[in-house]
Amino acid sequence: MFYGIPLTSRLLLGTAQYPSPAILGEAITASGAEVITVSLRREGAGGGAFRELLRDTGRRILPNTAGCHSVREAVTTAHMARELFATNWIKLEVIGHADTLQPDPFALVEAARILCSEGFAVFPYMTEDLILAERLVEAGCRVLMPWGAPIGSGQGLRNPEGLRSLRAHFPGIALVIDAGIGAPSQAAAAMEMGFDAVLLNTAVAKARDPVGMARAFGQAVAAGRLAHEAGLMLRRDMAVASTPVFGMAELA
């Protein structure tokens, strides 16, 4: 549940870089995702045709501020998004490093505080830093979106221990792994750790078969969540026989 809105699917899907609008639409359907993200700055989302395509999918739209490098840019873009898509949901990105696309933590908190005070439901893209997470929650965020790895890298969960600590520290906050996921197995691993959802784009959009990959990610996210809820076995240092020795025949 995000900001009081219940969802069935735990996969959020980006809409950039697909070979064609038709394939994008098919991939969204195949993934089962109920939330799709769109960037005003990178997608040319001001175009009516593209907005109509997104609305026709029937999915909830999560606009984002991708490409913004300052508080002013991000806040202005969020206001534009609210008007264009008639939603107070915003995925907040304030980039601080051009090469790694790592967010600027100071500008991120400042922008989040402004937008939360203005009635936005903010989904901040962040690193797995606990102090940053605390500041964002204090600012009013009820969802946090830590990266698995740098955007578009496909490295998966680069700091699993840090992510586990974040999950343990914020049991009542929805946590979404955002960025760096390159394979369905990585998405399943995030869900097995107890994260609430996964957001990805490039791994599907740039696949040889985006529709098939979207379906694979949808199934992986569902399987990972089911495994988490069922209770994963503990990892052991030694072998433990799965076959009982009692009642076995004694051969002399």
PDB file of all heavy atoms in Angstrom, residues 161-202:
ATOM      1  N   GLU A 161      23.720  -5.905   2.758  1.00  0.00           N
ATOM      2  CA  GLU A 161      23.675  -5.706   4.206  1.00  0.00           C
ATOM      3  C   GLU A 161      23.113  -4.332   4.558  1.00  0.00           C
ATOM      4  O   GLU A 161      22.348  -4.179   5.512  1.00  0.00           O
ATOM      5  CB  GLU A 161      25.070  -5.895   4.811  1.00  0.00           C
ATOM      6  CG  GLU A 161      25.584  -7.322   4.751  1.00  0.00           C
ATOM      7  CD  GLU A 161      24.579  -8.330   5.309  1.00  0.00           C
ATOM      8  OE1 GLU A 161      24.018  -8.058   6.407  1.00  0.00           O
ATOM      9  OE2 GLU A 161      24.342  -9.356   4.674  1.00  0.00           O
ATOM     10  N   GLY A 162      23.498  -3.334   3.791  1.00  0.00           N
ATOM     11  CA  GLY A 162      22.945  -2.002   4.011  1.00  0.00           C
ATOM     12  C   GLY A 162      21.448  -1.967   3.771  1.00  0.00           C
ATOM     13  O   GLY A 162      20.696  -1.313   4.507  1.00  0.00           O
ATOM     14  N   LEU A 163      21.007  -2.671   2.757  1.00  0.00           N
ATOM     15  CA  LEU A 163      19.572  -2.723   2.454  1.00  0.00           C
ATOM     16  C   LEU A 163      18.802  -3.480   3.533  1.00  0.00           C
ATOM     17  O   LEU A 163      17.695  -3.090   3.911  1.00  0.00           O
ATOM     18  CB  LEU A 163      19.352  -3.364   1.084  1.00  0.00           C
ATOM     19  CG  LEU A 163      19.839  -2.529  -0.108  1.00  0.00           C
ATOM     20  CD1 LEU A 163      19.794  -3.348  -1.393  1.00  0.00           C
ATOM     21  CD2 LEU A 163      18.989  -1.253  -0.258  1.00  0.00           C
ATOM     22  N   ARG A 164      19.399  -4.558   4.053  1.00  0.00           N
ATOM     23  CA  ARG A 164      18.747  -5.286   5.152  1.00  0.00           C
ATOM     24  C   ARG A 164      18.613  -4.397   6.387  1.00  0.00           C
ATOM     25  O   ARG A 164      17.591  -4.424   7.084  1.00  0.00           O
ATOM     26  CB  ARG A 164      19.537  -6.555   5.484  1.00  0.00           C
ATOM     27  CG  ARG A 164      19.413  -7.675   4.466  1.00  0.00           C
ATOM     28  CD  ARG A 164      19.980  -8.983   4.990  1.00  0.00           C
ATOM     29  NE  ARG A 164      19.897 -10.025   3.993  1.00  0.00           N
ATOM     30  CZ  ARG A 164      20.876 -10.330   3.140  1.00  0.00           C
ATOM     31  NH1 ARG A 164      22.022  -9.666   3.209  1.00  0.00           N
ATOM     32  NH2 ARG A 164      20.729 -11.284   2.254  1.00  0.00           N
ATOM     33  N   SER A 165      19.638  -3.624   6.677  1.00  0.00           N
ATOM     34  CA  SER A 165      19.586  -2.714   7.819  1.00  0.00           C
ATOM     35  C   SER A 165      18.475  -1.682   7.642  1.00  0.00           C
ATOM     36  O   SER A 165      17.744  -1.358   8.587  1.00  0.00           O
ATOM     37  CB  SER A 165      20.928  -2.002   7.996  1.00  0.00           C
ATOM     38  OG  SER A 165      21.946  -2.915   8.336  1.00  0.00           O
ATOM     39  N   LEU A 166      18.344  -1.174   6.434  1.00  0.00           N
ATOM     40  CA  LEU A 166      17.298  -0.198   6.141  1.00  0.00           C
ATOM     41  C   LEU A 166      15.918  -0.822   6.342  1.00  0.00           C
ATOM     42  O   LEU A 166      15.031  -0.207   6.944  1.00  0.00           O
ATOM     43  CB  LEU A 166      17.458   0.307   4.706  1.00  0.00           C
ATOM     44  CG  LEU A 166      16.685   1.565   4.322  1.00  0.00           C
ATOM     45  CD1 LEU A 166      17.226   2.775   5.070  1.00  0.00           C
ATOM     46  CD2 LEU A 166      16.778   1.789   2.814  1.00  0.00           C
ATOM     47  N   ARG A 167      15.757  -2.041   5.865  1.00  0.00           N
ATOM     48  CA  ARG A 167      14.471  -2.730   6.020  1.00  0.00           C
ATOM     49  C   ARG A 167      14.146  -2.946   7.500  1.00  0.00           C
ATOM     50  O   ARG A 167      13.011  -2.735   7.934  1.00  0.00           O
ATOM     51  CB  ARG A 167      14.513  -4.059   5.281  1.00  0.00           C
ATOM     52  CG  ARG A 167      13.283  -4.950   5.436  1.00  0.00           C
ATOM     53  CD  ARG A 167      12.048  -4.425   4.721  1.00  0.00           C
ATOM     54  NE  ARG A 167      11.380  -3.313   5.413  1.00  0.00           N
ATOM     55  CZ  ARG A 167      10.320  -2.667   4.929  1.00  0.00           C
ATOM     56  NH1 ARG A 167       9.817  -3.003   3.739  1.00  0.00           N
ATOM     57  NH2 ARG A 167       9.767  -1.676   5.606  1.00  0.00           N
ATOM     58  N   ALA A 168      15.147  -3.350   8.271  1.00  0.00           N
ATOM     59  CA  ALA A 168      14.921  -3.610   9.689  1.00  0.00           C
ATOM     60  C   ALA A 168      14.640  -2.322  10.456  1.00  0.00           C
ATOM     61  O   ALA A 168      13.867  -2.321  11.422  1.00  0.00           O
ATOM     62  CB  ALA A 168      16.140  -4.317  10.282  1.00  0.00           C
ATOM     63  N   HIS A 169      15.240  -1.234  10.035  1.00  0.00           N
ATOM     64  CA  HIS A 169      15.124   0.037  10.759  1.00  0.00           C
ATOM     65  C   HIS A 169      13.785   0.722  10.523  1.00  0.00           C
ATOM     66  O   HIS A 169      13.337   1.525  11.347  1.00  0.00           O
ATOM     67  CB  HIS A 169      16.262   0.969  10.329  1.00  0.00           C
ATOM     68  CG  HIS A 169      16.507   2.107  11.256  1.00  0.00           C
ATOM     69  ND1 HIS A 169      17.079   1.945  12.501  1.00  0.00           N
ATOM     70  CD2 HIS A 169      16.246   3.447  11.135  1.00  0.00           C
ATOM     71  CE1 HIS A 169      17.176   3.123  13.102  1.00  0.00           C
ATOM     72  NE2 HIS A 169      16.670   4.047  12.296  1.00  0.00           N
ATOM     73  N   PHE A 170      13.143   0.428   9.397  1.00  0.00           N
ATOM     74  CA  PHE A 170      11.879   1.096   9.052  1.00  0.00           C
ATOM     75  C   PHE A 170      10.784   0.065   8.759  1.00  0.00           C
ATOM     76  O   PHE A 170      10.310  -0.048   7.625  1.00  0.00           O
ATOM     77  CB  PHE A 170      12.072   2.012   7.843  1.00  0.00           C
ATOM     78  CG  PHE A 170      13.000   3.158   8.096  1.00  0.00           C
ATOM     79  CD1 PHE A 170      14.331   3.071   7.738  1.00  0.00           C
ATOM     80  CD2 PHE A 170      12.548   4.322   8.710  1.00  0.00           C
ATOM     81  CE1 PHE A 170      15.203   4.128   7.972  1.00  0.00           C
ATOM     82  CE2 PHE A 170      13.408   5.376   8.951  1.00  0.00           C
ATOM     83  CZ  PHE A 170      14.741   5.280   8.590  1.00  0.00           C
ATOM     84  N   PRO A 171      10.354  -0.681   9.767  1.00  0.00           N
ATOM     85  CA  PRO A 171       9.358  -1.735   9.523  1.00  0.00           C
ATOM     86  C   PRO A 171       8.001  -1.202   9.090  1.00  0.00           C
ATOM     87  O   PRO A 171       7.237  -1.913   8.420  1.00  0.00           O
ATOM     88  CB  PRO A 171       9.260  -2.443  10.881  1.00  0.00           C
ATOM     89  CG  PRO A 171       9.689  -1.418  11.875  1.00  0.00           C
ATOM     90  CD  PRO A 171      10.759  -0.618  11.192  1.00  0.00           C
ATOM     91  N   GLY A 172       7.691   0.044   9.437  1.00  0.00           N
ATOM     92  CA  GLY A 172       6.387   0.584   9.104  1.00  0.00           C
ATOM     93  C   GLY A 172       6.360   1.466   7.873  1.00  0.00           C
ATOM     94  O   GLY A 172       5.320   2.052   7.550  1.00  0.00           O
ATOM     95  N   ILE A 173       7.477   1.571   7.174  1.00  0.00           N
ATOM     96  CA  ILE A 173       7.571   2.409   5.977  1.00  0.00           C
ATOM     97  C   ILE A 173       7.669   1.518   4.743  1.00  0.00           C
ATOM     98  O   ILE A 173       8.423   0.540   4.734  1.00  0.00           O
ATOM     99  CB  ILE A 173       8.809   3.324   6.045  1.00  0.00           C
ATOM    100  CG1 ILE A 173       8.692   4.301   7.233  1.00  0.00           C
ATOM    101  CG2 ILE A 173       8.999   4.095   4.750  1.00  0.00           C
ATOM    102  CD1 ILE A 173       7.600   5.323   7.101  1.00  0.00           C
ATOM    103  N   ALA A 174       6.912   1.846   3.708  1.00  0.00           N
ATOM    104  CA  ALA A 174       7.007   1.100   2.455  1.00  0.00           C
ATOM    105  C   ALA A 174       8.354   1.379   1.796  1.00  0.00           C
ATOM    106  O   ALA A 174       8.718   2.538   1.580  1.00  0.00           O
ATOM    107  CB  ALA A 174       5.870   1.486   1.512  1.00  0.00           C
ATOM    108  N   LEU A 175       9.091   0.325   1.476  1.00  0.00           N
ATOM    109  CA  LEU A 175      10.408   0.448   0.855  1.00  0.00           C
ATOM    110  C   LEU A 175      10.394  -0.209  -0.519  1.00  0.00           C
ATOM    111  O   LEU A 175      10.014  -1.373  -0.646  1.00  0.00           O
ATOM    112  CB  LEU A 175      11.473  -0.210   1.728  1.00  0.00           C
ATOM    113  CG  LEU A 175      11.694   0.364   3.131  1.00  0.00           C
ATOM    114  CD1 LEU A 175      12.805  -0.399   3.847  1.00  0.00           C
ATOM    115  CD2 LEU A 175      12.021   1.845   3.072  1.00  0.00           C
ATOM    116  N   VAL A 176      10.831   0.528  -1.509  1.00  0.00           N
ATOM    117  CA  VAL A 176      10.838   0.064  -2.896  1.00  0.00           C
ATOM    118  C   VAL A 176      12.264   0.118  -3.428  1.00  0.00           C
ATOM    119  O   VAL A 176      12.892   1.177  -3.408  1.00  0.00           O
ATOM    120  CB  VAL A 176       9.930   0.943  -3.781  1.00  0.00           C
ATOM    121  CG1 VAL A 176       9.928   0.428  -5.221  1.00  0.00           C
ATOM    122  CG2 VAL A 176       8.511   1.004  -3.223  1.00  0.00           C
ATOM    123  N   ILE A 177      12.782  -1.004  -3.894  1.00  0.00           N
ATOM    124  CA  ILE A 177      14.101  -0.982  -4.538  1.00  0.00           C
ATOM    125  C   ILE A 177      13.956  -0.330  -5.904  1.00  0.00           C
ATOM    126  O   ILE A 177      13.169  -0.776  -6.744  1.00  0.00           O
ATOM    127  CB  ILE A 177      14.664  -2.411  -4.693  1.00  0.00           C
ATOM    128  CG1 ILE A 177      14.980  -3.018  -3.326  1.00  0.00           C
ATOM    129  CG2 ILE A 177      15.926  -2.388  -5.562  1.00  0.00           C
ATOM    130  CD1 ILE A 177      16.095  -2.331  -2.579  1.00  0.00           C
ATOM    131  N   ASP A 178      14.722   0.723  -6.109  1.00  0.00           N
ATOM    132  CA  ASP A 178      14.604   1.515  -7.339  1.00  0.00           C
ATOM    133  C   ASP A 178      15.986   1.683  -7.954  1.00  0.00           C
ATOM    134  O   ASP A 178      16.868   2.290  -7.358  1.00  0.00           O
ATOM    135  CB  ASP A 178      13.997   2.880  -6.993  1.00  0.00           C
ATOM    136  CG  ASP A 178      13.956   3.815  -8.188  1.00  0.00           C
ATOM    137  OD1 ASP A 178      14.043   3.329  -9.321  1.00  0.00           O
ATOM    138  OD2 ASP A 178      13.831   5.033  -7.970  1.00  0.00           O
ATOM    139  N   ALA A 179      16.168   1.146  -9.136  1.00  0.00           N
ATOM    140  CA  ALA A 179      17.381   1.323  -9.934  1.00  0.00           C
ATOM    141  C   ALA A 179      18.406   0.211  -9.695  1.00  0.00           C
ATOM    142  O   ALA A 179      18.575  -0.283  -8.587  1.00  0.00           O
ATOM    143  CB  ALA A 179      18.043   2.671  -9.681  1.00  0.00           C
ATOM    144  N   GLY A 180      19.080  -0.151 -10.780  1.00  0.00           N
ATOM    145  CA  GLY A 180      20.183  -1.104 -10.724  1.00  0.00           C
ATOM    146  C   GLY A 180      19.791  -2.558 -10.917  1.00  0.00           C
ATOM    147  O   GLY A 180      20.660  -3.425 -11.005  1.00  0.00           O
ATOM    148  N   ILE A 181      18.499  -2.857 -10.974  1.00  0.00           N
ATOM    149  CA  ILE A 181      18.061  -4.237 -11.134  1.00  0.00           C
ATOM    150  C   ILE A 181      18.187  -4.646 -12.603  1.00  0.00           C
ATOM    151  O   ILE A 181      17.628  -3.995 -13.487  1.00  0.00           O
ATOM    152  CB  ILE A 181      16.601  -4.418 -10.661  1.00  0.00           C
ATOM    153  CG1 ILE A 181      16.484  -4.110  -9.169  1.00  0.00           C
ATOM    154  CG2 ILE A 181      16.098  -5.820 -10.970  1.00  0.00           C
ATOM    155  CD1 ILE A 181      17.233  -5.065  -8.275  1.00  0.00           C
ATOM    156  N   GLY A 182      18.916  -5.746 -12.848  1.00  0.00           N
ATOM    157  CA  GLY A 182      19.154  -6.162 -14.225  1.00  0.00           C
ATOM    158  C   GLY A 182      18.598  -7.519 -14.595  1.00  0.00           C
ATOM    159  O   GLY A 182      18.562  -7.869 -15.771  1.00  0.00           O
ATOM    160  N   ALA A 183      18.171  -8.303 -13.602  1.00  0.00           N
ATOM    161  CA  ALA A 183      17.690  -9.653 -13.870  1.00  0.00           C
ATOM    162  C   ALA A 183      16.532  -9.992 -12.938  1.00  0.00           C
ATOM    163  O   ALA A 183      16.486  -9.497 -11.803  1.00  0.00           O
ATOM    164  CB  ALA A 183      18.821 -10.668 -13.678  1.00  0.00           C
ATOM    165  N   PRO A 184      15.605 -10.830 -13.380  1.00  0.00           N
ATOM    166  CA  PRO A 184      14.502 -11.227 -12.502  1.00  0.00           C
ATOM    167  C   PRO A 184      14.960 -11.824 -11.183  1.00  0.00           C
ATOM    168  O   PRO A 184      14.329 -11.610 -10.149  1.00  0.00           O
ATOM    169  CB  PRO A 184      13.737 -12.244 -13.356  1.00  0.00           C
ATOM    170  CG  PRO A 184      13.995 -11.813 -14.768  1.00  0.00           C
ATOM    171  CD  PRO A 184      15.426 -11.345 -14.758  1.00  0.00           C
ATOM    172  N   SER A 185      16.070 -12.566 -11.200  1.00  0.00           N
ATOM    173  CA  SER A 185      16.579 -13.159  -9.956  1.00  0.00           C
ATOM    174  C   SER A 185      16.954 -12.086  -8.946  1.00  0.00           C
ATOM    175  O   SER A 185      16.795 -12.268  -7.729  1.00  0.00           O
ATOM    176  CB  SER A 185      17.788 -14.048 -10.252  1.00  0.00           C
ATOM    177  OG  SER A 185      18.810 -13.313 -10.906  1.00  0.00           O
ATOM    178  N   GLN A 186      17.464 -10.947  -9.414  1.00  0.00           N
ATOM    179  CA  GLN A 186      17.812  -9.846  -8.515  1.00  0.00           C
ATOM    180  C   GLN A 186      16.556  -9.220  -7.909  1.00  0.00           C
ATOM    181  O   GLN A 186      16.538  -8.846  -6.736  1.00  0.00           O
ATOM    182  CB  GLN A 186      18.617  -8.792  -9.276  1.00  0.00           C
ATOM    183  CG  GLN A 186      19.949  -9.303  -9.799  1.00  0.00           C
ATOM    184  CD  GLN A 186      20.594  -8.366 -10.806  1.00  0.00           C
ATOM    185  OE1 GLN A 186      20.009  -7.351 -11.199  1.00  0.00           O
ATOM    186  NE2 GLN A 186      21.807  -8.699 -11.242  1.00  0.00           N
ATOM    187  N   ALA A 187      15.513  -9.113  -8.707  1.00  0.00           N
ATOM    188  CA  ALA A 187      14.249  -8.585  -8.197  1.00  0.00           C
ATOM    189  C   ALA A 187      13.658  -9.524  -7.159  1.00  0.00           C
ATOM    190  O   ALA A 187      13.153  -9.095  -6.123  1.00  0.00           O
ATOM    191  CB  ALA A 187      13.268  -8.383  -9.349  1.00  0.00           C
ATOM    192  N   ALA A 188      13.735 -10.830  -7.424  1.00  0.00           N
ATOM    193  CA  ALA A 188      13.236 -11.812  -6.461  1.00  0.00           C
ATOM    194  C   ALA A 188      14.016 -11.730  -5.157  1.00  0.00           C
ATOM    195  O   ALA A 188      13.437 -11.813  -4.062  1.00  0.00           O
ATOM    196  CB  ALA A 188      13.327 -13.221  -7.046  1.00  0.00           C
ATOM    197  N   ALA A 189      15.334 -11.538  -5.247  1.00  0.00           N
ATOM    198  CA  ALA A 189      16.165 -11.436  -4.041  1.00  0.00           C
ATOM    199  C   ALA A 189      15.751 -10.231  -3.195  1.00  0.00           C
ATOM    200  O   ALA A 189      15.716 -10.302  -1.965  1.00  0.00           O
ATOM    201  CB  ALA A 189      17.637 -11.328  -4.432  1.00  0.00           C
ATOM    202  N   ALA A 190      15.432  -9.110  -3.845  1.00  0.00           N
ATOM    203  CA  ALA A 190      14.981  -7.923  -3.108  1.00  0.00           C
ATOM    204  C   ALA A 190      13.677  -8.210  -2.376  1.00  0.00           C
ATOM    205  O   ALA A 190      13.504  -7.811  -1.211  1.00  0.00           O
ATOM    206  CB  ALA A 190      14.802  -6.754  -4.073  1.00  0.00           C
ATOM    207  N   MET A 191      12.781  -8.908  -3.021  1.00  0.00           N
ATOM    208  CA  MET A 191      11.502  -9.221  -2.393  1.00  0.00           C
ATOM    209  C   MET A 191      11.676 -10.221  -1.262  1.00  0.00           C
ATOM    210  O   MET A 191      11.001 -10.140  -0.233  1.00  0.00           O
ATOM    211  CB  MET A 191      10.525  -9.757  -3.440  1.00  0.00           C
ATOM    212  CG  MET A 191      10.222  -8.786  -4.570  1.00  0.00           C
ATOM    213  SD  MET A 191       9.614  -7.185  -4.001  1.00  0.00           S
ATOM    214  CE  MET A 191       8.083  -7.652  -3.224  1.00  0.00           C
ATOM    215  N   GLU A 192      12.589 -11.160  -1.418  1.00  0.00           N
ATOM    216  CA  GLU A 192      12.853 -12.138  -0.349  1.00  0.00           C
ATOM    217  C   GLU A 192      13.397 -11.450   0.900  1.00  0.00           C
ATOM    218  O   GLU A 192      13.207 -11.936   2.022  1.00  0.00           O
ATOM    219  CB  GLU A 192      13.846 -13.195  -0.839  1.00  0.00           C
ATOM    220  CG  GLU A 192      13.261 -14.154  -1.865  1.00  0.00           C
ATOM    221  CD  GLU A 192      14.296 -15.071  -2.487  1.00  0.00           C
ATOM    222  OE1 GLU A 192      15.492 -14.943  -2.117  1.00  0.00           O
ATOM    223  OE2 GLU A 192      13.941 -15.896  -3.335  1.00  0.00           O
ATOM    224  N   MET A 193      14.069 -10.301   0.731  1.00  0.00           N
ATOM    225  CA  MET A 193      14.601  -9.549   1.856  1.00  0.00           C
ATOM    226  C   MET A 193      13.518  -8.776   2.597  1.00  0.00           C
ATOM    227  O   MET A 193      13.774  -8.197   3.651  1.00  0.00           O
ATOM    228  CB  MET A 193      15.693  -8.587   1.373  1.00  0.00           C
ATOM    229  CG  MET A 193      16.970  -9.289   0.945  1.00  0.00           C
ATOM    230  SD  MET A 193      18.118  -8.187   0.042  1.00  0.00           S
ATOM    231  CE  MET A 193      18.405  -6.909   1.246  1.00  0.00           C
ATOM    232  N   GLY A 194      12.324  -8.743   2.043  1.00  0.00           N
ATOM    233  CA  GLY A 194      11.225  -8.070   2.716  1.00  0.00           C
ATOM    234  C   GLY A 194      10.873  -6.703   2.180  1.00  0.00           C
ATOM    235  O   GLY A 194      10.061  -5.984   2.781  1.00  0.00           O
ATOM    236  N   PHE A 195      11.449  -6.320   1.039  1.00  0.00           N
ATOM    237  CA  PHE A 195      11.075  -5.044   0.450  1.00  0.00           C
ATOM    238  C   PHE A 195       9.660  -5.138  -0.111  1.00  0.00           C
ATOM    239  O   PHE A 195       9.179  -6.215  -0.465  1.00  0.00           O
ATOM    240  CB  PHE A 195      12.089  -4.620  -0.605  1.00  0.00           C
ATOM    241  CG  PHE A 195      13.340  -4.063   0.011  1.00  0.00           C
ATOM    242  CD1 PHE A 195      14.363  -4.906   0.437  1.00  0.00           C
ATOM    243  CD2 PHE A 195      13.473  -2.705   0.224  1.00  0.00           C
ATOM    244  CE1 PHE A 195      15.499  -4.395   1.056  1.00  0.00           C
ATOM    245  CE2 PHE A 195      14.612  -2.186   0.834  1.00  0.00           C
ATOM    246  CZ  PHE A 195      15.621  -3.034   1.249  1.00  0.00           C
ATOM    247  N   ASP A 196       9.007  -3.999  -0.190  1.00  0.00           N
ATOM    248  CA  ASP A 196       7.590  -3.989  -0.545  1.00  0.00           C
ATOM    249  C   ASP A 196       7.354  -4.031  -2.048  1.00  0.00           C
ATOM    250  O   ASP A 196       6.277  -4.456  -2.491  1.00  0.00           O
ATOM    251  CB  ASP A 196       6.931  -2.741   0.043  1.00  0.00           C
ATOM    252  CG  ASP A 196       6.944  -2.771   1.563  1.00  0.00           C
ATOM    253  OD1 ASP A 196       6.120  -3.488   2.139  1.00  0.00           O
ATOM    254  OD2 ASP A 196       7.806  -2.101   2.165  1.00  0.00           O
ATOM    255  N   ALA A 197       8.310  -3.570  -2.823  1.00  0.00           N
ATOM    256  CA  ALA A 197       8.136  -3.549  -4.274  1.00  0.00           C
ATOM    257  C   ALA A 197       9.480  -3.295  -4.935  1.00  0.00           C
ATOM    258  O   ALA A 197      10.474  -2.977  -4.272  1.00  0.00           O
ATOM    259  CB  ALA A 197       7.125  -2.471  -4.677  1.00  0.00           C
ATOM    260  N   VAL A 198       9.491  -3.425  -6.251  1.00  0.00           N
ATOM    261  CA  VAL A 198      10.680  -3.152  -7.063  1.00  0.00           C
ATOM    262  C   VAL A 198      10.255  -2.272  -8.234  1.00  0.00           C
ATOM    263  O   VAL A 198       9.223  -2.512  -8.864  1.00  0.00           O
ATOM    264  CB  VAL A 198      11.304  -4.463  -7.593  1.00  0.00           C
ATOM    265  CG1 VAL A 198      12.376  -4.170  -8.634  1.00  0.00           C
ATOM    266  CG2 VAL A 198      11.884  -5.282  -6.452  1.00  0.00           C
ATOM    267  N   LEU A 199      11.069  -1.257  -8.518  1.00  0.00           N
ATOM    268  CA  LEU A 199      10.843  -0.411  -9.680  1.00  0.00           C
ATOM    269  C   LEU A 199      12.027  -0.584 -10.624  1.00  0.00           C
ATOM    270  O   LEU A 199      13.182  -0.510 -10.205  1.00  0.00           O
ATOM    271  CB  LEU A 199      10.715   1.059  -9.273  1.00  0.00           C
ATOM    272  CG  LEU A 199      10.239   2.037 -10.353  1.00  0.00           C
ATOM    273  CD1 LEU A 199       9.638   3.281  -9.700  1.00  0.00           C
ATOM    274  CD2 LEU A 199      11.335   2.456 -11.328  1.00  0.00           C
ATOM    275  N   LEU A 200      11.730  -0.815 -11.900  1.00  0.00           N
ATOM    276  CA  LEU A 200      12.804  -0.984 -12.877  1.00  0.00           C
ATOM    277  C   LEU A 200      12.335  -0.520 -14.241  1.00  0.00           C
ATOM    278  O   LEU A 200      11.138  -0.338 -14.489  1.00  0.00           O
ATOM    279  CB  LEU A 200      13.260  -2.442 -12.920  1.00  0.00           C
ATOM    280  CG  LEU A 200      12.188  -3.497 -13.189  1.00  0.00           C
ATOM    281  CD1 LEU A 200      12.089  -3.834 -14.666  1.00  0.00           C
ATOM    282  CD2 LEU A 200      12.461  -4.745 -12.378  1.00  0.00           C
ATOM    283  N   ASN A 201      13.297  -0.321 -15.140  1.00  0.00           N
ATOM    284  CA  ASN A 201      12.997   0.157 -16.481  1.00  0.00           C
ATOM    285  C   ASN A 201      13.893  -0.495 -17.529  1.00  0.00           C
ATOM    286  O   ASN A 201      13.450  -1.262 -18.376  1.00  0.00           O
ATOM    287  CB  ASN A 201      13.135   1.684 -16.516  1.00  0.00           C
ATOM    288  CG  ASN A 201      12.639   2.318 -17.812  1.00  0.00           C
ATOM    289  OD1 ASN A 201      12.295   3.485 -17.839  1.00  0.00           O
ATOM    290  ND2 ASN A 201      12.583   1.589 -18.901  1.00  0.00           N
ATOM    291  N   THR A 202      15.202  -0.190 -17.449  1.00  0.00           N
ATOM    292  CA  THR A 202      16.129  -0.560 -18.517  1.00  0.00           C
ATOM    293  C   THR A 202      16.163  -2.064 -18.774  1.00  0.00           C
ATOM    294  O   THR A 202      16.232  -2.494 -19.946  1.00  0.00           O
ATOM    295  CB  THR A 202      17.544  -0.057 -18.183  1.00  0.00           C
ATOM    296  OG1 THR A 202      17.488   1.340 -17.892  1.00  0.00           O
ATOM    297  CG2 THR A 202      18.493  -0.291 -19.347  1.00  0.00           C
TER     298      THR A 202
END
